[in-house]
Amino acid sequence: MNILIVDDEKLIRQGLSHMIPLMNENYRIVGQCGSGEEALERIAVEGLRVDTVITDVRMPPPMDGLELITELAIRYPHVRSIVISGYNEFDYVRSALRSGAVDYLLKPIDKKELQTVLGRIELTIPSGDSREPDDGSGQVSLAYRDNLLNGLFKADPGIYRDAVAYLQSRYGISESTHRFMTAGIVIDQLPDEPLTPSDKALFQYFIRKTAEELLPLSGSVEGSVFQGSDGLTLIVFFIDRASGFELQPQAQLTMLLSQIKRHVRYPITVALSSYVELFRQFPSMIDQLHIALKSRLVRGTDQLIEFDAARQTNEAGFEEVGRDWMESVTRHLQAGELEKMKSSFLELLADLRRGQLPPDYIVDMIDRMFIRMESALDQLGITVDSLNYEERRKLGHTLEQCPLWEQMERSVRERLDVLTEQIRATTLRQKPDYIKEAVAFIETRYRDDIKLHDVAKHVHLFPSYFSQQFKLLMGINFIDYLTERRMEEAMKLLRETDEPAYLICERVGYATSAHFIKVFKKWIGSTPAEYRNKWQTETADPREARSQMQKKAK
């Protein structure tokens, strides 16, 4: 296999050129180049036969490693590229892999890892020998190993024996000498920044490589990293029975999480199963990981979640939700106080989160809340599409797929907004046209200093007659309706923005903040600042809330 070394550092070029031929007599260094441009020129002008290019990702202009890989993929698609990178260059690595690089190596380069990568590449070069298990270094290929271990965790009868034999021969382990634990690592997309399948695959690859770098640390638990068939990056740990229960992988996993978070800003969660004693018990560890990872909905991300702790917390949390928010939600709904209804519903969610309840229980509670709301509206003779069985079933499915609390809360908010609009529209359809026109006028002008006579003039009625008919048909007098609409918008702005009260008061139709605060306290029972603080405390991540309380205690 002909190899070209490309790096702007002469010592690295010389070191690789000396090291690689010693690995395998078939590895030939055909050239050393200090830049991407020089590499392309030598391949073209000198007619170098190159099978593999090893290039640094960062090199000075006119051509760095990324540009070189892109050009190689276009001009010489048969050439395999390996990227040399540092930990702080993951964005470059991701671009390199997208451009066609086969693998990447972290500096300082590990000889065994380089040998493994070159052996894997050699297998892809037509040479008359393409046996699957051996990658040129005495180790099975990554894909073959992943297939073996996934089969073991799925209790696949066609793979099970081969997988056990591989672990025993590769790591010298057995059921009599070791116990086993498994960790699963998952990356979640941000609500406003979805991950493409290719991005997710690249992140998984980066996580795997980082885990493989940290596993061999002295004094740590031995293990094997592989890619699970369900999208998790998995690490199976082999715990020597002679160490008792003193040697455990938590410290390694915490270090791994910290290292990943230095380079990845998306939410990362690491789950850890409990011990198992036998190979045939491996599938139970996957089940435990899914339970632990599902609890990140209420426990939060960017942390290590152990199955035992998640299970105990869930079981203890069933009795923690103390307030009967269902009664509060239906009471506001029946009174037509739609914004207060939404606030109560979201406060119910906050209580459920603080209670650290199982995600399945939370989804069921939300569904039961919507059923109660449908029943309350039926009593008022109001039917809305967003509460029928099919729509609730769709919402339930959506909520079950939410790994993060922010995503679940957003889905519920969106459904409540749709519900509110449907209730208003349905209720209004039963009113005379002049009432509909009046409500529409208020909706577009409540931010201004409008008066009763402005609305009466708009619908061509005397103010006294309009006032009488409005209260009769709407069940509330004009000034209270206008104030309620302004308070609804004010509460929404206090919850969803960081704007100060003096700006919010102008946006909802009040000339002075003093008058706004006075009216707000009369209607809501607290000042705007108190309302916002209460809301932020109740909806905060449980860990952040505890941290804030501890700071206040000090």
Side-chain angles (χ1 to χ4, degrees):
M1 180 167 64
N2 296 332
I3 301 171
L4 178 65
I5 310 295
V6 186
D7 199 301
D8 60 319
E9 296 184 43
K10 185 177 181 180
L11 288 177
I12 292 180
R13 296 198 304 269
Q14 292 176 338
L16 290 173
S17 297
H18 174 74
M19 180 197 311
I20 291 173
L22 298 177
M23 298 176 181
N24 189 317
E25 61 182 10
N26 293 324
Y27 296 166
R28 295 175 295 277
I29 304 301
V30 297
Q32 300 179 32
C33 301
S35 70
E37 187 178 47
E38 181 187 351
L40 284 178
E41 183 177 347
R42 290 196 60 185
I43 293 174
V45 176
E46 300 179 19
L48 290 179
R49 289 189 58 196
V50 178
D51 298 307
T52 302
V53 169
I54 301 176
T55 179
D56 188 9
V57 71
R58 283 191 179 184
M59 292 184 292
M63 181 177 289
D64 63 13
L66 296 182
E67 295 169 310
L68 172 60
I69 292 169
T70 301
E71 286 298 318
L72 287 173
I74 296 172
R75 301 187 194 184
Y76 311 101
H78 69 282
V79 175
R80 279 70 168 178
S81 301
I82 301 173
V83 171
I84 304 172
S85 173
Y87 270 123
N88 61 342
E89 298 171 340
F90 178 68
D91 287 339
Y92 285 88
V93 171
R94 179 169 60 177
S95 298
L97 293 173
R98 282 175 171 170
S99 299
V102 173
D103 211 326
Y104 78 90
L105 301 172
L106 300 173
K107 296 180 180 180
I109 298 172
D110 181 85
K111 181 178 179 180
K112 290 183 178 179
E113 185 178 10
L114 175 57
Q115 188 173 5
T116 299
V117 174
L118 290 173
R120 190 164 67 249
I121 291 175
E122 188 178 20
L123 288 176
T124 68
I125 299 175
S127 60
D129 185 5
S130 58
R131 293 171 299 169
E132 171 61 21
D134 198 307
D135 68 358
S137 64
Q139 300 182 29
V140 298
S141 69
L142 290 179
Y144 187 71
R145 181 176 68 182
D146 286 0
N147 186 53
L148 284 176
L149 293 177
N150 276 298
L152 180 61
F153 277 85
K154 290 182 177 179
D156 186 329
I159 299 177
Y160 180 83
R161 289 186 179 181
D162 289 341
V164 171
Y166 164 69
L167 290 178
Q168 290 173 331
S169 63
R170 173 68 178 83
Y171 298 99
I173 63 174
S174 68
E175 294 175 342
S176 62
T177 59
H178 290 80
R179 297 184 182 92
F180 311 99
M181 299 178 79
T182 301
I185 308 165
V186 66
I187 181 169
D188 291 306
Q189 61 186 8
L190 297 168
D192 298 318
E193 298 182 45
L195 284 168
T196 65
S198 59
D199 277 343
K200 199 160 191 176
L202 291 173
F203 277 124
Q204 289 169 348
Y205 187 71
F206 171 73
I207 291 169
R208 176 177 186 156
K209 297 287 286 187
T210 305
E212 288 172 344
E213 285 289 316
L214 291 177
L215 268 182
L217 294 177
S218 60
S220 62
V221 182
E222 190 176 11
S224 180
V225 186
F226 67 103
Q227 190 61 47
S229 57
D230 56 359
L232 295 179
T233 301
L234 298 168
I235 309 173
V236 55
F237 292 100
F238 317 127
I239 316 294
D240 192 339
R241 290 180 182 270
S243 68
F245 289 93
E246 295 181 2
L247 193 59
Q248 297 190 27
Q250 283 87 341
Q252 283 170 271
L253 293 174
T254 301
M255 185 185 304
L256 172 62
L257 177 62
S258 176
Q259 182 73 333
I260 294 171
K261 287 304 297 179
R262 286 175 55 192
H263 315 291
V264 178
R265 59 190 179 85
Y266 288 90
I268 302 288
T269 307
V270 181
L272 180 63
S273 74
S274 58
Y275 289 96
V276 299
E277 307 281 342
L278 307 172
F279 290 124
R280 61 181 173 80
Q281 296 174 324
F282 272 40
S284 68
M285 291 194 288
I286 290 292
D287 294 336
Q288 292 178 6
L289 292 182
H290 284 297
I291 291 173
L293 287 172
K294 203 167 186 179
S295 73
R296 73 189 186 277
L297 177 73
V298 292
R299 297 174 65 89
T301 58
D302 297 332
Q303 62 174 312
L304 169 63
I305 302 177
E306 297 183 45
F307 167 72
D308 290 332
R311 180 179 58 180
Q312 292 168 6
T313 301
N314 285 342
E315 291 174 351
F318 270 92
E319 304 303 325
E320 294 300 318
V321 180
R323 297 181 62 181
D324 185 6
W325 289 112
M326 284 191 176
E327 181 181 343
S328 175
V329 169
T330 53
R331 184 177 66 251
H332 290 309
L333 184 62
Q334 291 171 328
E337 300 168 337
L338 300 183
E339 197 63 29
K340 290 182 180 179
M341 174 273 291
K342 288 196 288 186
S343 294
S344 292
F345 200 122
L346 294 173
E347 286 169 3
L348 164 64
L349 281 186
D351 260 9
L352 293 173
R353 188 183 193 188
R354 282 193 299 275
Q356 297 280 286
L357 301 182
D360 291 343
Y361 179 83
I362 292 176
V363 172
D364 180 66
M365 178 70 79
I366 292 172
D367 184 56
R368 283 192 283 158
M369 186 69 256
F370 278 117
I371 291 175
R372 287 280 295 271
M373 294 169 68
E374 182 182 32
S375 176
L377 288 173
D378 281 343
Q379 295 177 19
L380 298 174
I382 299 173
T383 301
V384 292
D385 294 338
S386 59
L387 287 180
N388 64 38
Y389 171 78
E390 185 60 27
E391 290 300 317
R392 291 203 320 274
R393 189 185 65 80
K394 290 179 182 178
L395 177 63
H397 178 72
T398 298
L399 298 182
E400 287 172 357
Q401 305 304 312
C402 290
L404 305 181
W405 186 262
E406 291 76 11
Q407 294 176 2
M408 173 175 278
E409 186 178 37
R410 171 178 288 195
S411 296
V412 173
R413 281 179 182 273
E414 290 174 351
R415 179 51 57 94
L416 289 173
D417 288 340
V418 171
L419 174 63
T420 299
E421 292 306 313
Q422 288 184 351
I423 292 173
R424 284 180 174 148
T426 302
T427 303
L428 199 57
R429 279 199 298 268
Q430 303 169 3
K431 310 298 181 184
D433 288 343
Y434 66 86
I435 292 294
K436 295 177 186 177
E437 292 178 19
V439 170
F441 182 80
I442 295 170
E443 184 62 29
T444 58
R445 298 286 301 277
Y446 71 86
R447 298 175 181 83
D448 302 328
D449 185 24
I450 59 172
K451 300 290 190 289
L452 174 68
H453 64 81
D454 297 320
V455 184
K457 181 179 179 181
H458 179 75
V459 296
H460 311 291
L461 293 175
F462 289 111
S464 58
Y465 180 74
F466 169 73
S467 176
Q468 180 188 46
Q469 290 299 305
F470 190 92
K471 183 174 182 178
L472 177 66
L473 295 170
M474 296 296 292
I476 185 174
N477 64 45
F478 166 79
I479 190 62
D480 286 346
Y481 181 88
L482 177 61
T483 303
E484 184 176 89
R485 184 66 189 91
R486 287 170 169 172
M487 292 300 104
E488 287 178 354
E489 183 66 15
M491 286 189 290
K492 182 179 179 181
L493 292 172
L494 288 167
R495 289 197 305 267
E496 300 179 4
T497 74
D498 294 325
E499 292 186 3
Y502 72 85
L503 288 181
I504 291 177
C505 84
E506 295 175 0
R507 292 184 59 178
V508 296
Y510 291 94
T512 66
S513 57
H515 182 48
F516 166 64
I517 293 172
K518 181 179 179 181
V519 174
F520 190 94
K521 187 170 184 178
K522 177 181 178 181
W523 275 77
I524 309 303
S526 61
T527 66
E530 291 169 345
Y531 177 84
R532 173 176 277 165
N533 290 337
K534 182 174 182 290
W535 173 257
Q536 291 175 342
T537 301
E538 290 181 344
T539 57
D541 186 303
R543 292 174 295 163
E544 295 178 2
R546 285 194 295 271
S547 176
Q548 292 174 3
M549 291 175 64
Q550 290 170 356
K551 289 180 180 179
K552 289 180 179 180
K554 293 179 181 180

